[in-house]
Amino acid sequence: MSAAAAVGCSGFKAMATVRSGRSGHKPPHVLTVAGSDSGAGAGIQADMKACGALGAYCSTVITAVTAQNTVGVQGVHVVPEDFVAEQLRSVLSDMDVDVVKTGMLPSISIVKMLCRSLKEFPVRALVVDPVMVSTSGDVLASPTILAGFREELLPMADIVTPNLKEASALLGGISLKTIADMQSAAKSIHTLGPRTVLVKGGDLPDTMDAVDIFFDGKEFHELHGERISTRNTHGTGCTLASCIAAELAKGSSMLPAIQAAKTFVGNALRYSKDIVIGRGPQGPFDHLFQLKSHIFNLNSNDHHFNPDDLFLYAVTDSRMNKKWGRSITNAIGAAIEGGATIIQLREKEAHTREFVESATACMEICRSHGVPLLINDRIDVALACDADGVHVGQSDMPVSMARSLLGPNKIIGVSCKTPIQAQKAYLDGANYIGCGGVFPTTTKENNPTVGLDGLKTICLASKLPVVAIGGISVGNAGDVMGTGVPNLKGVAVVSSLFDRECVSAETQRLRSVLMDATSAVKELS
């Protein structure tokens, strides 16, 4: 961490304790210092929407008021420096800001005044989005402003997020045409003082996907994202920086914050690629796509995900049903009768048409009992029968792609065996992870086990609720739940339920064991 950032971190905590003086929950707080966009696609308006969508409070200091729309910028009115200073003091002296994010800083005097304010009121992190080049390529920042960025603002920054044109401007107009050029630029910008650098490659020619380069002072990280064909890209830079700021304010470290921000922007672009706002060449996208999807689907049959649904997770197996002469509908009906809280159809041998028909019948049973039903791997089947979601493995369709196909309201689970996989599942938009195999199992060949210690490690590394899977039975389920990790919500079982003569009775036995173990953990905590 830079010296300024280090002072900010310790200073912020001390001031927050003294100034607050009130009990209650303090939300993560981002202050954006930027220009106002009358079209609401970028600037202050984009910052507020992005932070709100990610659960952070966003206060504002307006440096300029613009008249702009999807056609272009028709006018700019720079806010007087003394009034920008007054806005900064009003917010920073009172509101316990976690992270400051900068956008349009239209004069060297405003740059200098902002740096003075941050020294007087240090914060946890400073995110600098160097808004200095227009979409058409025009340099908006004068040489004196560029000098102010290099000499005063960047040395205080925890991250700076230039696009290719902005990185070029910061480095005197050098050409950036390859990933190697981006790496070199990131390293050069890092020498100007910021703790980390993210060079955004959305405009990089001849690339199939959107590539960004993150440099932390020691290592380069090449971050890839889907390149989405749409005119609705106005405000992507502002939004990405604001999302990073929001994640930092929520407590994330830098690289996970960037990855979460990229995922959000990608999902927003994908969701908004066909909306029409304005008549110009570059439209805005919808930051609040998750909220709007929820509103538009209030009357749908989607089952809202509740982590407690993972408590007793029954996973069907076609071979076991055939062995005991049961239909799939009889099997899940018996499991629900015994107390299963969520059902997954894992039918590897069924033909697609047969699977869709069976899954549709199972959906009717599950919905009549308020139990969510997920499909293992087969997203096509999930879409065809309007299932509540899917569960995918590491070698199946990526979670981010599944999310784009299913939409924001469906449940997506992913199998994980390592902390890194668990962290990626969160960033990619999964609702939960299935951790295992915990113990050896007969349902999957050559399936390495993680054991109880591995289960606990992965749970602690995950921000998502976890269900344990693999070799779990009445005999060991109590030990699994006895690990006492708060985000371990239940167990997923196959043969312990379905390779038995009476599914409902076995489900009742297992549920009783789980309830006893959960009660014991609560008594100890």
Side-chain angles (χ1 to χ4, degrees), residues 29-97:
H29 187 157
V30 175
L31 166 61
T32 173
V33 183
S36 169
D37 173 2
S38 58
I44 287 284
Q45 288 84 348
D47 297 342
M48 293 184 72
K49 288 185 283 189
C51 288
L54 290 178
Y57 183 83
C58 185
S59 55
T60 64
V61 168
I62 299 176
T63 61
V65 179
T66 69
Q68 63 177 295
N69 53 26
T70 63
V71 176
V73 178
Q74 290 78 47
V76 178
H77 173 72
V78 176
V79 176
E81 176 195 346
D82 58 352
F83 195 69
V84 175
E86 191 169 347
Q87 293 177 74
L88 277 166
R89 177 168 289 277
S90 292
V91 177
L92 290 172
S93 66
D94 172 60
M95 299 182 74
D96 297 345
V97 172

Side-chain angles (χ1 to χ4, degrees), residues 206-332:
D206 303 324
T207 55
M208 295 297 293
D209 51 7
V211 183
D212 300 336
I213 297 297
F214 174 61
F215 183 58
D216 61 11
K218 296 181 180 178
E219 294 182 275
F220 292 103
H221 300 266
E222 195 171 304
L223 307 176
H224 290 255
E226 180 186 358
R227 186 178 292 280
I228 298 163
S229 179
T230 176
R231 69 182 278 274
N232 299 320
T233 58
H234 184 50
T236 50
C238 305
T239 299
L240 183 73
S242 294
C243 289
I244 293 170
E247 292 298 318
L248 293 176
K250 288 156 62 177
S252 291
S253 54
M254 190 62 73
L255 183 55
I258 294 169
Q259 291 169 322
K262 278 182 65 68
T263 297
F264 177 88
V265 172
N267 287 339
L269 285 171
R270 190 179 301 109
Y271 182 86
S272 308
K273 64 186 180 71
D274 295 322
I275 64 174
V276 179
I277 298 176
R279 299 178 179 86
Q282 189 185 36
F285 59 95
D286 191 349
H287 296 76
L288 304 180
F289 64 98
Q290 293 170 310
L291 173 63
K292 291 190 175 182
S293 294
H294 173 66
I295 292 172
F296 293 155
N297 286 284
L298 281 177
N299 296 320
S300 75
N301 291 319
D302 288 344
H303 184 101
H304 181 67
F305 177 63
N306 180 351
D308 292 337
D309 287 339
L310 301 174
F311 186 65
L312 206 174
Y313 193 141
V315 183
T316 68
D317 187 287
S318 56
R319 292 169 299 177
M320 294 175 190
N321 288 334
K322 289 178 181 178
K323 174 182 175 181
W324 292 96
R326 285 188 293 259
S327 68
I328 189 171
T329 51
N330 287 340
I332 70 157

Side-chain angles (χ1 to χ4, degrees), residues 353-366:
R353 181 171 181 175
E354 176 190 350
F355 196 176
V356 170
E357 291 174 351
S358 298
T360 301
C362 291
M363 278 303 309
E364 293 180 7
I365 296 171
C366 288

